[in-house]
Amino acid sequence: MSLLELQGVEARYGEIRALHGVTLTVDEGDFVALLGANGAGKTTTLRAVSGTVKTSGDVLLDGQKLFRRTPEAMARRGVAHVPEGRGTFSTLSVLDNLRLGAWVHGNAEPRELAHVFEFFPRLYERRLQQAGLLSGGEQQMLALGRAMMARPRLLLLDEPSLGLAPRVAREIFGVLGRKNETGTTIVVVEQNATLALEAAQHAFVLETGRVVLGGDAADLRKNESVRRSYLGY
Ligand code: ATP
């Protein structure tokens, strides 16, 4: 059964229609990339799932239609969303930011913290430092680490490589790949299509609020229009 299904999802911001009926399916354990030009609706698609934008159409988790999709309710169902811009608490320490990530379970478990530090040794070294003083790459690691503290089944990430040096972006995607291998389902919006299509198993291409193409990442890498529009060769 699919973990996540969007059926004809529409969303608008006032007069602006951002999604014109997005339909897509994500299987349990999948690693999915959402590609598309600026303004295609990728961010809004993630927001439609986590409940941070009002939508019509159906969003199903485990085949069940979700009616009350507040961010809190979605977090309790195992959906973690790392928005673009990271959203960590800059005046709190790295450790406190990570602890806050576990709010949905009450307290942060030492086991979970150890798990995050295993993925990101740099965060362990910086654990007592204020989050606002971290480098861009470290802040992205912290945002991801904080989301991992919630032990999500489904991790939604918006532009995790934005503004990062290529090596750091690869490091982040390496962690996502390892996390996916442990069973976490991942949906990532990513401008760096080369990186995204290397890491993902499946991908969807959005254009003006609709899915226009979808399939195996390996096949999409060979697709003429994907290569021309997103891979640049
Ligand atoms: P990008 O790659 O530039 O982040 P995107 O594919 O993620 O783009 P969205 O951010 O989902 O696209 O935006 C879809 C459409 O909705 C765009 O036309 C955008 O201008 C509009 N939009 C997004 N957020 C808002 C908002 N808060 N208020 C008004 N319009 C918005």
Side-chain angles (χ1 to χ4, degrees), residues 121-148:
R122 193 92 54 83
L123 292 183
Y124 180 72
E125 290 163 20
R126 304 271 192 277
R127 66 193 179 283
L128 301 178
Q129 188 169 309
Q130 270 192 14
L133 300 177
L134 297 175
S135 72
E138 290 163 350
Q139 290 198 20
Q140 185 59 55
M141 291 173 195
L142 179 57
L144 186 50
R146 195 177 64 174
M148 282 161 59

Side-chain angles (χ1 to χ4, degrees), residues 94-149:
V94 166
L95 199 53
D96 284 344
N97 266 281
L98 289 175
R99 287 189 179 125
L100 280 173
W103 65 270
V104 71
H105 303 296
N107 288 323
E109 283 186 36
R111 193 166 43 116
E112 219 48 52
L113 270 173
H115 178 66
V116 169
F117 288 141
E118 196 183 309
F119 276 105
F120 298 113
R122 193 92 54 83
L123 292 183
Y124 180 72
E125 290 163 20
R126 304 271 192 277
R127 66 193 179 283
L128 301 178
Q129 188 169 309
Q130 270 192 14
L133 300 177
L134 297 175
S135 72
E138 290 163 350
Q139 290 198 20
Q140 185 59 55
M141 291 173 195
L142 179 57
L144 186 50
R146 195 177 64 174
M148 282 161 59
M149 289 298 293

Side-chain angles (χ1 to χ4, degrees), residues 148-219:
M148 282 161 59
M149 289 298 293
R151 285 179 264 138
R153 294 174 65 200
L154 174 61
L155 194 47
L156 309 171
L157 296 127
D158 203 346
E159 306 271 8
S161 84
L162 195 75
L164 303 185
R167 188 184 49 78
V168 184
R170 286 204 173 273
E171 199 179 323
I172 298 275
F173 268 82
V175 168
L176 291 180
R178 275 156 56 209
K179 195 67 199 149
N180 176 245
E181 279 163 17
T182 68
T184 309
T185 307
I186 293 179
V187 179
V188 64
V189 166
E190 181 53 58
Q191 285 289 345
N192 184 337
T194 306
L195 200 53
L197 288 177
E198 268 171 30
Q201 285 144 29
H202 296 100
F204 295 100
V205 178
L206 277 98
E207 263 174 33
T208 54
R210 289 184 188 85
V211 173
V212 292
L213 204 57
D216 282 353
D219 292 338

Side-chain angles (χ1 to χ4, degrees), residues 13-14 16-19 36-45 47 84 158-159 189 191:
Y13 300 99
I16 298 167
R17 280 184 75 187
L19 302 183
N38 291 124
K42 306 178 297 294
T43 295
T44 308
T45 301
R47 298 185 66 197
E84 191 182 323
D158 203 346
E159 306 271 8
V189 166
Q191 285 289 345

